[in-house]
Amino acid sequence: MSETPALYLDNLSRRYGEIEVLAGAQLTLWPGEAVALVAPSGAGKSTLLHLAGLLETPDAGEVYIAGQPTRALADNARTALRRHHIGFVYQFHHLLPEFSAQENIALPQMIAGLGRAEASARARELLAYLGLEARARHRPAELSGGEQQRVAIARALANAPRLLLADEPTGNLDPKTADHVFATLSALVKASRVAALIATHNMDLAARMDRRVTIREGQVVEFD
Ligand code: ADP
Ligand code: MG
């Protein structure tokens, strides 16, 4: 395989005081695959996602984004890498309340340097793909929970990142809505060839992803 992994976690260790959360964790994510991260509360899912997303630095080990080692990067280079190559989705949508759905998706593109017209056009394209074109001008408070989360997914993918990191993205939704949001997420992963690491407690959703991993004694372990 000559393709470069979207994400390669090499021997990551992270402890908080006495608590050793990760101890030599390894993980490779290939473009276009969706991997479920399933582990009990407190196992280190968010820690792993924060390290992968360059929001925290490991005590030891290296995080490679699209083949690039990140440990030695200066802050502005890390920020640029995060902005262009990594998208985040959280349990709560974190959309900006005073902006419309379309504006929420356009903003990260404009921050990354795109003009307003281009950014708005891509935002509308993503909304149409999600079946939300009629919601483009609505503010987050005027959207349902599922719609808010689908807009948050579109925002995370707006800059065509290599890597999508989602921390219990359907954890706040009822099962039917979670199913719909997950279907959207899966379709976008396949269409965009982004690599997705998705922390979830939902075993039905995990079963529909390409692979499943958990965290055991500080290591990332694959399971079926
Ligand atoms: P999960 O997302 O799987 O629920 P976390 O990654 O949030 O787990 O947490 C893993 C462990 O690390 C927990 O025991 C948690 O209390 C601890 N932890 C996480 N972040 C911090 C922090 N900033 N300071 C101290 N302990 C932390
Ligand atoms: Mg967590």
Side-chain angles (χ1 to χ4, degrees):
M1 171 111 42
S2 60
E3 212 169 18
T4 307
L7 173 70
Y8 174 44
L9 304 179
D10 184 20
N11 222 1
L12 290 192
S13 295
R14 183 73 164 113
R15 59 160 58 247
Y16 296 107
E18 293 298 293
I19 305 167
E20 190 170 54
V21 182
L22 299 175
Q26 300 271 144
L27 178 67
T28 305
L29 239 68
W30 296 99
E33 71 171 352
V35 175
L37 175 58
V38 187
S41 196
K45 300 181 298 297
S46 295
T47 300
L48 191 78
L49 291 168
H50 291 159
L51 292 171
L54 311 181
L55 296 169
E56 284 182 38
T57 44
D59 301 325
E62 180 62 287
V63 176
Y64 295 80
I65 305 292
Q68 183 173 352
T70 58
R71 176 176 275 283
L73 292 178
D75 274 355
N76 58 349
R78 284 169 81 82
T79 302
L81 196 61
R82 196 185 304 126
R83 193 170 280 163
H84 290 279
H85 290 310
I86 306 174
F88 293 92
V89 181
Y90 300 96
Q91 184 169 354
F92 298 96
H93 57 79
H94 294 303
L95 296 169
L96 298 173
E98 66 275 35
F99 291 95
S100 70
Q102 182 178 311
E103 288 164 341
N104 266 284
I105 302 168
L107 274 170
Q109 301 175 70
M110 291 163 69
I111 290 167
L114 219 63
R116 178 184 294 275
E118 272 177 284
S120 301
R122 170 144 172 93
R124 280 194 300 274
E125 197 177 290
L126 280 162
L127 284 166
Y129 189 88
L130 298 173
L132 291 173
E133 56 271 77
R135 300 283 182 276
R137 305 207 171 278
H138 292 223
R139 293 184 182 194
E142 300 161 340
L143 301 171
S144 73
E147 288 170 343
Q148 289 167 345
Q149 213 49 340
R150 282 186 286 151
V151 172
I153 291 166
R155 176 185 55 181
L157 293 174
N159 287 330
R162 306 285 197 99
L163 178 63
L164 179 70
L165 300 170
D167 202 347
E168 310 195 27
T170 63
N172 195 33
L173 304 173
D174 65 78
K176 190 156 167 258
T177 307
D179 220 68
H180 184 198
V181 168
F182 176 74
T184 301
L185 185 58
S186 301
L188 279 167
V189 167
K190 296 306 166 196
S192 65
R193 302 250 324 132
V194 70
L197 183 59
I198 303 162
T200 182
H201 286 294
N202 187 326
M203 282 308 296
D204 292 334
L205 299 188
R208 283 152 55 190
M209 295 189 214
D210 298 313
R211 285 194 286 136
R212 284 146 291 285
V213 298
T214 188
I215 299 169
R216 200 173 294 149
E217 289 170 8
Q219 314 256 316
V220 177
V221 185
E222 201 137 351
F223 72 98
D224 272 313

